[in-house]
Amino acid sequence: MLIPVFGVLAAAGVGAAGVTGSALFDFALNPRSERSVMARLRAGEAEGFDSEAAASDPQRFEARRWFEESKQGVQIEASDGGSLRGWLLPVEGIRASDDGRSLESLDGATGEPRGRVFGILCHGYSGRPSDLCIEAQIAHSFGITVLAPAARGHERNDDRYVTMGWRDANDLLGWIDLIRAFDPAARIALYGVSMGGAEVMMASGLALPPNVRCIVEDCGYTSVWDEFSVQIGMQLKLPAVPLLNAASAVCRARAGYGFKEASAEHRLRRAAVPMLFIHGSEDRFVPFWMLDRLYDACASPVKEKLIIEGAGHGLSSTVDPDRYWGAVGSFLQRYLF
């Protein structure tokens, strides 16, 4: 998904670090750039997470149709102004308000401590919330109301720069508050894949309310710097320094964060809720070695690890669905329900 980004680096050359840094930022993180990954997706010239990671899954067509038929628009105010948008897939008795800014009971009652169960699902880079249609449908079948935000720079929020999960993690606090305003006793699980996995790990070290009972991450990366460094070295045999330094400086000036500070590994050192880490042993895109670093960094007194042998990036649930969903279901049963 990020591999095309580094063709820009080869074209620009190592010597023109500043130009290269700006080109990398625009291609990878600026959806308004005509040459960005997001623009190519909108034009049908590039493929996202859905087709790359799970095209072979026979459930996907039916699950996507269910997602599109069931979704209701929701939105929150962003901390830096404007609105952030996503989708609600509610269980019976819940709906989004007409303006999408609150949740409502079909009987008209709001704000009552009922202890309903919610899952916030976070998608991957260059994808969209419906890429997690199977996960959403499975959660819904267990009575979980699903909230699926679009990440910054993606789908309904493509008026913003992509933040690779970093600022999205803080946005999760707003989505959590949307749920808590409806049900102060709500029980909430966070789940993310790839960039979404990094996002929920980055959120793990924030001041999460006690409503957040557990977090499941699938193939997330240690940090934005580490992931970009892997891709530059693997694809082009080029050094991270000075190329990523230049791109990170551009990112800080234009999007307000740097690649090194955008670290799931560092945030995990303050994690307190139960966490399940999942990774495929054959993942080369977000390398398998990142799993142990993330797991070891996690300060939560309750943490579990699931390795799916033979699975590539984002393919763990497809390669071994029984083991994958058995582990996720057992984890949620213990800490969410």
Side-chain angles (χ1 to χ4, degrees), residues 200-224:
V200 297
M201 288 189 287
M202 291 168 179
S204 71
L206 299 176
L208 296 173
N211 305 76
V212 179
R213 302 298 183 87
C214 58
I215 297 174
V216 178
E217 78 84 18
D218 183 345
C219 64
Y221 38 79
T222 49
S223 71
V224 175

Side-chain angles (χ1 to χ4, degrees), residues 116-298:
R116 295 180 184 266
V117 183
F118 291 80
I120 302 180
L121 276 54
C122 304
H123 65 82
Y125 175 84
S126 80
R128 52 197 185 277
S130 60
D131 290 347
L132 298 179
C133 55
I134 291 178
E135 290 84 347
Q137 190 174 48
I138 290 174
H140 191 270
S141 71
F142 285 102
I144 299 173
T145 290
V146 172
L147 197 159
R152 288 177 177 239
H154 294 72
E155 200 193 53
R156 306 185 74 200
N157 298 316
D158 63 1
D159 57 336
R160 300 169 184 271
Y161 294 128
V162 177
T163 69
M164 301 301 293
W166 183 242
R167 299 194 69 176
D168 306 286
N170 290 79
D171 296 334
L172 284 175
L173 298 177
W175 291 113
I176 291 166
D177 284 344
L178 178 72
I179 295 171
R180 294 174 68 216
F182 167 70
D183 184 351
R187 291 164 287 160
I188 303 169
L190 306 181
Y191 172 93
V193 179
S194 193
M195 184 183 77
E199 177 183 343
V200 297
M201 288 189 287
M202 291 168 179
S204 71
L206 299 176
L208 296 173
N211 305 76
V212 179
R213 302 298 183 87
C214 58
I215 297 174
V216 178
E217 78 84 18
D218 183 345
C219 64
Y221 38 79
T222 49
S223 71
V224 175
W225 179 276
D226 288 347
E227 178 60 14
F228 279 17
S229 296
V230 165
Q231 294 301 329
I232 286 179
M234 182 170 65
Q235 300 301 323
L236 297 178
K237 313 300 181 187
L238 294 176
V241 178
L243 299 178
L244 288 191
N245 301 77
S248 183
V250 172
C251 187
R252 181 175 296 283
R254 295 172 66 180
Y257 72 100
F259 294 166
K260 289 186 178 180
E261 74 182 85
S263 171
E265 186 176 8
H266 291 167
R267 282 280 178 83
L268 283 167
R269 294 171 184 166
R270 299 196 299 271
V273 302
M275 296 198 60
L276 172 61
F277 298 82
I278 305 172
H279 221 106
S281 66
E282 297 303 312
D283 193 338
R284 300 289 182 264
F285 192 79
V286 175
F288 179 62
W289 58 259
M290 290 189 178
L291 172 63
D292 283 340
R293 268 185 45 184
L294 292 164
Y295 182 84
D296 292 343
C298 182

Side-chain angles (χ1 to χ4, degrees), residues 14-198:
V14 177
V19 174
T20 302
S22 183
L24 172 60
F25 176 87
D26 278 331
F27 197 84
L29 305 175
N30 181 7
R32 296 181 294 282
S33 170
E34 292 182 0
R35 300 184 62 189
S36 74
V37 173
M38 306 308 162
R40 293 179 64 204
L41 282 168
R42 288 194 296 270
E45 298 171 358
E47 296 182 336
F49 176 86
D50 180 44
S51 56
E52 287 190 21
S56 62
D57 195 319
Q59 290 181 280
R60 186 150 297 270
F61 176 79
E62 200 59 40
R64 184 177 291 282
R65 185 173 68 175
W66 167 82
F67 189 103
E68 296 299 330
E69 291 175 351
S70 305
K71 68 183 183 183
Q72 300 176 16
V74 286
Q75 60 181 308
I76 59 171
E77 293 301 313
S79 59
D80 52 349
S83 297
L84 295 168
R85 298 171 178 82
W87 301 111
L88 183 76
L89 297 112
V91 298
E92 186 176 354
I94 301 175
R95 68 182 178 192
S97 63
D98 291 341
D99 62 6
R101 296 184 180 276
S102 63
L103 308 185
E104 301 174 345
S105 291
L106 293 180
D107 61 10
T110 59
E112 297 181 3
R114 299 185 176 185
R116 295 180 184 266
V117 183
F118 291 80
I120 302 180
L121 276 54
C122 304
H123 65 82
Y125 175 84
S126 80
R128 52 197 185 277
S130 60
D131 290 347
L132 298 179
C133 55
I134 291 178
E135 290 84 347
Q137 190 174 48
I138 290 174
H140 191 270
S141 71
F142 285 102
I144 299 173
T145 290
V146 172
L147 197 159
R152 288 177 177 239
H154 294 72
E155 200 193 53
R156 306 185 74 200
N157 298 316
D158 63 1
D159 57 336
R160 300 169 184 271
Y161 294 128
V162 177
T163 69
M164 301 301 293
W166 183 242
R167 299 194 69 176
D168 306 286
N170 290 79
D171 296 334
L172 284 175
L173 298 177
W175 291 113
I176 291 166
D177 284 344
L178 178 72
I179 295 171
R180 294 174 68 216
F182 167 70
D183 184 351
R187 291 164 287 160
I188 303 169
L190 306 181
Y191 172 93
V193 179
S194 193
M195 184 183 77

